[in-house]
Amino acid sequence: ETKKGALAVDEPERAAELFLGMLNGRVQLRALLGVSGALSEAELERRVEHSVSSFLRLYGPASAETLASVRR
């Protein structure tokens, strides 16, 4: 997506790790430890929407323009 201009990602592995971390958060760890039940569908949806919107604010094309202007 970076080549298409849809994302501005310099380090794809780091960006992917960040995105997966936002999606999983402590939920996965708590589930593995058995200290938390499954999230509701509504909570999962909120988590995904928040993660995607945060990721796009950080790595969307507009953020690259902002970052480039700060670096000048």
Side-chain angles (χ1 to χ4, degrees):
E1 294 302 311
T2 298
K3 290 179 183 178
K4 294 178 187 177
L7 295 175
V9 178
D10 292 336
E11 299 179 67
E13 288 182 26
R14 184 181 302 263
E17 183 178 351
L18 177 64
F19 183 63
L20 292 174
M22 286 189 292
L23 288 171
N24 290 332
R26 294 183 302 172
V27 173
Q28 183 180 26
L29 178 60
R30 293 176 61 83
L32 288 170
L33 295 174
V35 295
S36 177
L39 296 179
S40 69
E41 189 170 327
E43 178 57 33
L44 287 172
E45 195 170 310
R46 280 192 299 274
R47 178 176 287 275
V48 169
E49 288 175 4
H50 179 74
S51 297
V52 170
S53 66
S54 296
F55 185 85
L56 290 176
R57 276 194 304 276
L58 182 60
Y59 290 112
S63 65
E65 293 169 12
T66 302
L67 183 59
S69 69
V70 170
R71 289 181 177 167
R72 289 184 204 154

